[in-house]
Amino acid sequence: MEKRQTTIRPAFAAALLAAAVPAFAGDAPVAVSATAVYAVDTRPQPRAVKTAAERDELASQWPVYRTSGDSVTLVAPDGAESGFSGTSLSLPSGGLWTLESPSHGTAAFTVRRSIDGSSGAGTAASPAVLSDGDELVDGSAGAGYTFRLGGADGLFAALRIPDGFRLEPAGEGLWRLAVSSDGSRYASAAAAYPADTRLPGPDRTTTRSEALPVAYSGDGWVLDASRASKLTFVAPNGSETDFDLSGDGAMAFQFNTPGEWTVRLERADGTVDASSITVAADVFVMVIR
């Protein structure tokens, strides 16, 4: 008879034991520990540091722990990386800070630039730089307040707009607060553009002469208009034509071969949108009477 050895790990064995022994109401506990007090930060990432006191508290009361042999990298707002070997997290300047660990992932922190005086005055000549979504309300920003976004992805969606005001583009990645008389929260200048709405979804059938320009955006038209993107046109024979772009706009492209083309838009965050465009040959008809 073949003999096999079975190994049961302690944690698994404890689970089996707990499942095998029924619990009865009124049974005395096996052991009782002293009352333990602990702190846990359940706030979502990125952790918003809004005052100098909060920054000092983070450094003194929330030590950074790591497992043995784990390497941690601290990424500064300007993108500079440095090895982090201590336990006290010091964030000396405003912006987005990130702790990166290959074993445990990342932890992000936004520090308001008002703490170190690098925020700006909130004017067209000296725009403010926002790090978290509460700065407009907390700072009692009013009409004409001009700013740019300098925090983590998703900051635009997290912005709290003061009551009675709306956002409007101020050019070059800037935004401005304006009085809202109708309750609207966002306003843009009038724009005229062509769009193909004959069919649902991104797939289209067209001819070489009627093909419209292809729109592109590095941020999905919702965050930072200056972000980079890559637009790829794949011909029916499989050959690819790539364009490295920035900002948003529409590119006119000559679909010079009839057949099924694939158009891919890769945004800055790595997401890819794809469309299948069937290009029919232009037909020249001559009628002779």
Side-chain angles (χ1 to χ4, degrees), residues 1-274:
M1 178 181 296
E2 181 183 1
K3 295 183 178 180
R4 296 186 179 181
Q5 183 178 13
T6 301
T7 301
I8 300 179
R9 298 185 181 276
F12 185 48
L16 286 177
L17 181 60
V21 179
F24 297 97
D27 283 356
V30 176
V32 177
S33 69
T35 301
V37 178
Y38 63 91
V40 58
D41 188 350
T42 60
R43 284 170 287 190
Q45 288 199 57
R47 162 77 178 275
V49 179
K50 302 178 180 181
T51 65
E54 289 185 5
R55 184 179 60 178
D56 296 342
E57 176 191 341
L58 184 67
S60 62
Q61 299 184 27
W62 296 94
V64 178
Y65 292 101
R66 63 178 61 80
T67 55
S68 178
D70 188 18
S71 61
V72 178
T73 300
L74 180 62
V75 183
D78 61 0
E81 298 183 1
S82 58
F84 184 84
S85 58
T87 58
S88 178
L89 180 59
S90 175
L91 306 177
S93 60
L96 175 65
W97 294 82
T98 306
L99 282 172
E100 298 180 347
S101 164
S103 303
H104 304 289
T106 63
F109 306 85
T110 57
V111 180
R112 289 188 178 179
R113 289 171 173 81
S114 57
I115 298 176
D116 63 1
S118 63
S119 176
T123 63
S126 177
V129 185
L130 303 189
S131 298
D132 63 73
D134 295 331
E135 286 197 69
L136 293 175
V137 173
D138 291 350
S140 301
Y145 189 82
T146 305
F147 64 92
R148 71 174 71 250
L149 303 178
D153 291 344
L155 177 55
F156 186 84
L159 282 179
R160 292 172 56 207
I161 303 172
D163 291 339
F165 295 94
R166 70 186 184 190
L167 290 182
E168 59 183 22
E172 299 182 352
L174 298 177
W175 297 91
R176 179 172 52 238
L177 282 179
V179 175
S180 176
S181 58
D182 57 2
S184 62
R185 308 298 273 177
Y186 175 84
S188 66
Y193 60 91
D196 185 352
T197 60
R198 289 175 292 181
L199 296 173
D203 300 335
R204 290 289 182 267
T205 298
T206 185
T207 64
R208 287 181 292 178
S209 60
E210 295 181 341
L212 292 173
V214 177
Y216 62 87
S217 168
D219 66 341
W221 295 275
V222 295
L223 294 172
D224 180 2
S226 65
R227 292 189 177 182
S229 63
K230 182 178 181 181
L231 195 59
T232 301
F233 295 85
V234 184
N237 64 2
S239 61
E240 298 187 2
T241 304
D242 297 327
F243 296 93
D244 292 320
L245 306 168
S246 62
D248 53 40
M251 168 172 283
F253 183 79
Q254 183 65 46
F255 295 93
N256 53 17
T257 304
E260 185 174 303
W261 290 71
T262 298
V263 180
R264 294 195 303 266
L265 172 64
E266 182 177 354
R267 300 199 292 266
D269 62 0
T271 57
V272 178
D273 296 327

